[in-house]
């Protein structure tokens, strides 16, 4: 394993390169204070994924209520050969939000890429998972980049010039973006992969409200714990003094905007200190912690075209809960 500020594919022993571009405490504090200064208080969902948050997210993915993970996995598993045929061998796969690096494993045997680059905000999990992947697939060059989606990957990755580049963005994390930001993200991905490249992206589809509400209010309570852990993290890392018993998890489907909204609701009027700043909460006031937009196949296809991708193909499950799109030029 190699650590460095720059990942270059050099003929050195070992097949894993690690690059750390994680935001520092100072910039996290700035983002948190900015978000809590808005009229509708908000916090960015990337802050969910500290060590405990990543573990809680993995627990959510294992619940019966949270259908996206197992549904997308089934699509990748069933359609892996077809997907691999679309992409072709010897590609450079760049995954955003790679987490535990489980999904790409479903594709690797048929896909046979030359390079796999994983970007994720959860340092320990990413280092562990990429180390394991590099050991399991000695023929694969693995690059792990610790950072958020704003990280300037273009300059950090030196990918083989001839390999077809494909951005892999599974999990429906695109749903975290506002529609305009989502389109901008697709456009950026298209620029990263170039004219011959493509994008393989998981998108959660619109469906009856009860299914969605349950998926974000699992009876085991992992989603509630995941949401509240955000405050626990701010207490730990920014020496904030949130009283975790005075906030509650709230998640509901906003039908008009086709999105799940997650909030943390203040049970009473209270003040919270973060560093040298004080933030006041009215009883019932919320911090908006996440949106998870749901698309129709046609709606997402339209957005992909608007972002510049001319070709699009979708695989789905029999209940049409989830779509895996391959976008290309
Ligand atoms: C990782 C962003 C795809 O939006 O469903 C799961 C995060 N939040 N349960 C989603 C999440 C609450 C998840 N994504």
């Amino acid at each position: 394993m190699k650590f460095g500020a720059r990942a270059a594919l050099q003929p050195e022993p070992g097949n894993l390169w690690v690059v750390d571009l994680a935001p520092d405490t100072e910039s996290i504090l700035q983002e948190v204070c900015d978000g809590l200064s808005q009229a509708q208080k908000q916090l960015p969902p990337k802050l969910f994924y500290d060590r405990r948050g990543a573990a809680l997210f993995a627990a959510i993915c294992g619940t019966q209520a949270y259908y996206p993970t197992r549904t997308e996995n089934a699509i990748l598993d069933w359609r892996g050969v077809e997907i691999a045929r679309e992409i072709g061998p010897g590609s450079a796969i760049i995954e955003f939000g790679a987490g535990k690096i489980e999904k790409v494993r479903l594709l690797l045997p048929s896909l046979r890429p030359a390079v796999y680059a994983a970007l994720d905000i959860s340092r320990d999990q990413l280092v562990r998972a990429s180390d394991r992947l590099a050991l399991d697939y000695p023929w694969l060059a693995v690059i792990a980049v610790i950072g958020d989606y704003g990280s300037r990957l273009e300059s950090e990755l030196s990918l083989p010039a001839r390999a077809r580049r494909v951005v892999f963005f599974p999990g429906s994390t695109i749903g975290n973006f506002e529609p305009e930001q989502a389109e901008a993200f697709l456009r950026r991905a298209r620029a990263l992969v170039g004219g011959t490249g493509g994008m393989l992206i998981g998108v959660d589809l619109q469906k009856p409200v009860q299914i969605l509400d349950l998926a974000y209010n699992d009876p085991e309570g992992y989603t509630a714990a995941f949401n509240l852990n955000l405050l626990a993290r701010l207490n730990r890392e920014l020496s904030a003094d949130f009283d975790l018993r005075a906030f509650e998890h709230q998640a509901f489907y906003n039908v008009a905007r086709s999105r799940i909204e997650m909030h943390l609701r203040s049970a009473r009027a209270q003040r919270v200190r973060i560093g040298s700043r004080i933030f006041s909460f009215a009883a019932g006031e919320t911090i908006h912690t996440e949106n998870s937009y749901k698309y129709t196949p046609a709606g997402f296809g339209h957005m992909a075209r608007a972002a510049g991708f001319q070709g699009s193909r979708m695989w789905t499950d029999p209940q049409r809960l989830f779509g895996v799109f391959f976008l290309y030029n």
Side-chain angles (χ1 to χ4, degrees):
M1 187 190 309
K2 301 170 194 65
F3 285 86
R6 198 155 224 288
L9 294 178
Q10 295 156 356
E12 289 182 52
N15 58 328
L16 173 64
W17 289 258
V18 177
V19 187
D20 196 338
L21 306 174
D24 58 11
T25 307
E26 206 43 51
S27 66
I28 292 174
L29 176 64
Q30 188 59 50
E31 257 189 292
V32 165
C33 290
D34 287 350
L36 295 181
S37 304
Q38 308 288 312
Q40 166 64 69
K41 293 182 171 66
Q42 55 184 29
L43 288 169
K46 69 178 177 192
L47 295 181
F48 282 135
Y49 302 93
D50 67 346
R51 187 197 291 251
R52 181 164 163 74
L56 285 166
F57 180 65
I60 292 170
C61 292
T63 63
Q64 187 58 36
Y66 193 73
Y67 62 85
T69 310
R70 65 170 174 281
T71 309
E72 184 179 47
N73 284 349
I75 297 167
L76 295 175
D77 198 23
W78 267 90
R79 302 301 182 196
V81 173
E82 263 177 60
I83 292 168
R85 205 180 300 133
E86 288 281 353
I87 296 174
S91 63
I93 303 292
I94 306 154
E95 179 170 356
F96 285 81
K100 296 175 80 178
I101 314 192
E102 288 173 333
K103 288 176 180 171
V104 78
R105 285 174 179 264
L106 299 167
L107 298 173
L108 285 180
S110 36
L111 193 55
R112 287 242 146 207
V115 183
Y116 170 72
L119 174 76
D120 202 275
I121 193 81
S122 270
R123 177 186 282 104
D124 297 351
Q125 179 176 255
L126 183 65
V127 169
R128 206 178 319 118
S130 54
D131 201 20
R132 190 71 248 166
L133 189 80
L135 286 170
D136 290 346
Y137 296 90
W139 48 265
L140 183 66
V142 177
I143 305 173
V145 182
I146 303 144
D148 62 27
Y149 299 154
S151 302
R152 296 189 39 259
L153 279 185
E154 291 83 347
S155 55
E156 293 296 336
L157 297 176
S158 56
L159 302 171
R162 294 184 336 279
R164 184 185 194 192
R165 294 180 175 195
V166 173
V167 163
F168 183 39
F169 195 31
S172 76
T173 304
I174 189 80
N176 274 178
F177 295 115
E178 293 298 328
E180 316 85 74
Q181 294 178 317
E183 191 184 309
F185 183 85
L186 294 185
R187 203 173 293 116
R188 219 186 114 217
R190 187 167 172 274
L192 179 63
V193 300
T196 60
M199 182 173 199
L200 185 67
I201 177 167
V203 180
D204 199 15
L205 301 177
Q206 291 177 12
K207 57 183 62 63
V209 180
Q210 314 82 267
I211 301 176
L212 290 165
D213 280 343
L214 184 65
Y216 292 82
N217 291 283
D218 64 282
E220 293 91 337
Y222 291 127
T223 310
F226 175 71
N227 201 3
L228 282 158
N229 175 61
L230 188 42
L231 302 183
R233 176 186 187 175
L234 302 186
N235 285 352
R236 285 191 294 266
E237 292 183 22
L238 305 179
S239 21
D241 67 353
F242 284 98
D243 176 357
L244 300 190
R245 293 157 308 181
F247 285 89
E248 59 194 31
H249 165 70
Q250 192 182 43
F252 57 88
Y253 190 58
N254 180 334
V255 182
R257 307 191 71 170
S258 312
R259 70 188 195 196
I260 286 280
E261 293 185 16
M262 292 216 310
H263 295 256
L264 288 161
R265 184 176 178 279
S266 176
R268 51 173 168 80
Q270 56 182 320
R271 288 175 201 284
V272 176
R273 189 181 47 80
I274 304 177
S276 57
R277 309 255 325 244
I278 304 280
F279 296 95
S280 302
F281 291 81
E285 185 179 0
T286 71
I287 308 172
H288 189 179
T289 52
E290 185 173 50
N291 285 319
S292 193
Y293 278 88
K294 309 305 173 185
Y295 289 92
T296 60
F300 188 77
H302 184 81
M303 175 186 285
R305 264 191 311 281
F309 286 107
Q310 284 147 38
S312 157
R313 179 170 180 192
M314 184 190 79
W315 295 271
T316 187
D317 54 291
Q319 295 184 77
R320 300 179 77 81
L321 295 173
F322 199 95
V324 173
F325 288 76
F326 184 62
L327 311 176
Y328 53 97
N329 291 298

